[in-house]
């Protein structure tokens, strides 16, 4: 329970208590934390979805999760569009460039369109699954890639253990429960998750030589966007 409270406090704007060490010693709970945060956003966003107020659901999402991951998305795309010789420098740069600004703008626009289009009956399960998979993707990178330098991610990697792969049991349970009612959307969500995670891991390992907080945060955002897109666009 302490690890869940610590994770909610760390990955959102909600102050639930717990210590940072409670989370780092139990990283396998990250998908459950994502599911909890997704449920909170989904429950708050459901009445908004009834009136097609997609942008306000995005506001709720950012209000709950904060902007740390979106900041990572911005920095990642600054590095993505930088010349090969300057990618790592761009990843370290605290200033936001054109690539990052455009990426964040597109992220907000696409989320707004998806949340406007999504069936209100799917809002809660879509957010629970997308947030669970997004946090699983973050954890997978931290379990399978090396940190580029000392920072928050290196602290997570230092404490990661093989038992944290048990997180996939939590993710699978959440996926199966949602899939009992929404089989097609769930199957497509898993495909979107795997493709996005693979693309991010391969790119980060080949172009950067590892991961940092920006890569992990961007992975969270892109998996979240891809899965929500699946739920918004599937019949």
């Amino acid at each position: 329970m302490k690890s869940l409270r610590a994770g909610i406090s760390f990955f959102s704007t909600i102050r639930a208590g717990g210590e940072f060490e409670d989370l780092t010693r139990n990283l396998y709970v990250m998908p459950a934390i994502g599911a909890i945060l997704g449920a909170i956003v989904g429950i708050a966003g459901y009445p908004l979805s009834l009136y097609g107020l997609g942008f306000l659901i995005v506001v709720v999402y950012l209000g709950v999760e904060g902007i740390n991951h979106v900041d990572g998305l911005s920095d990642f795309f600054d590095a993505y569009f930088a010349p090969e010789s300057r990618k790592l420098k761009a990843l370290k740069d605290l200033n936001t460039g054109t690539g990052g600004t455009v990426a964040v703008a597109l992220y907000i626009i696409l989320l707004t369109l998806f949340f406007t289009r999504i069936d209100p009956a799917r809002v809660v399960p879509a957010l629970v699954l997308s947030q669970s998979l997004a946090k699983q993707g973050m954890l997978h990178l931290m379990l399978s890639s090396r940190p580029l330098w000392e920072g928050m991610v290196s602290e997570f990697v230092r404490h990661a253990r093989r038992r944290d792969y048990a997180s996939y049991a939590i993710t699978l349970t959440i996926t199966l429960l949602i899939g009992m009612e929404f089989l097609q959307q769930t199957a497509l969500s898993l495909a979107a998750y795997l493709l996005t995670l693979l693309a991010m891991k391969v790119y980060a390992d080949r172009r950067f030589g590892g991961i940092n907080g920006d890569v992990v945060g961007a992975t969270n955002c892109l998996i979240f966007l891809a899965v929500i897109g699946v739920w918004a666009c599937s019949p």
Side-chain angles (χ1 to χ4, degrees):
M1 184 59 72
K2 286 184 179 179
S3 58
L4 286 175
R5 297 207 326 263
I8 290 170
S9 297
F10 183 80
F11 288 112
S12 77
T13 60
I14 301 170
R15 302 280 71 85
E19 300 294 333
F20 181 66
E21 291 74 17
D22 296 326
L23 174 61
T24 56
R25 288 196 297 264
N26 302 280
L27 292 174
Y28 63 87
V29 302
M30 284 178 59
I33 293 165
I36 292 169
L37 296 178
I40 292 171
V41 177
I43 292 169
Y46 172 74
L48 299 173
S49 69
L50 294 173
Y51 299 98
L53 300 175
F55 180 71
L56 291 184
I57 300 177
V58 176
V59 171
V60 172
Y61 154 65
L62 293 175
V64 171
E65 184 160 289
I67 62 171
N68 285 337
H69 296 146
V70 177
D71 181 63
L73 181 72
S74 174
D75 292 340
F76 172 80
F77 274 99
D78 277 340
Y80 179 86
F81 288 110
E84 197 69 32
S85 61
R86 297 186 63 250
K87 286 188 181 296
L88 283 179
K89 184 178 180 180
L91 201 61
K92 292 181 179 180
D93 194 344
L94 297 178
N95 297 314
T96 302
T98 304
T101 301
V102 171
V104 171
L106 286 174
Y107 181 65
I108 299 300
I109 291 170
L110 287 172
L111 279 180
T112 299
L113 291 174
F114 291 156
F115 281 128
T116 300
R117 178 185 174 88
I118 198 167
D119 184 339
R122 299 178 179 177
V123 168
V124 174
L127 277 157
V128 169
L129 184 59
S130 60
Q131 279 290 303
S132 180
L133 291 174
K135 300 301 179 286
Q136 179 66 70
M138 295 172 69
L139 178 56
H140 188 94
L141 285 185
M142 291 188 285
L143 289 170
S144 62
S145 297
R146 72 175 188 89
L148 289 170
W149 46 71
E150 286 297 314
M152 191 65 69
V153 164
S154 65
E155 189 69 17
F156 278 109
V157 172
R158 191 174 294 115
H159 288 85
R161 300 290 182 268
R162 284 187 177 181
R163 69 169 186 168
D164 292 318
Y165 279 105
S167 59
Y168 270 104
I170 297 174
T171 302
L172 182 60
T173 300
I174 294 169
T175 301
L176 289 174
L177 289 173
I178 294 175
M180 291 172 65
E181 181 69 24
F182 302 98
L183 180 59
Q184 180 183 10
Q185 291 80 9
T186 302
L188 292 173
S189 294
L190 286 176
Y193 162 77
L194 290 171
L195 289 172
T196 305
L197 177 61
L198 178 62
M200 290 297 290
K201 177 166 175 53
V202 169
Y203 185 88
D205 287 346
R206 289 184 178 178
R207 300 299 186 185
F208 304 140
I211 60 171
N212 74 333
D214 295 326
V215 174
V216 173
T219 300
N220 175 89
C221 291
L222 292 175
I223 291 175
F224 177 64
L225 178 66
V227 175
I228 290 297
V230 164
W231 284 76
C233 298
S234 60

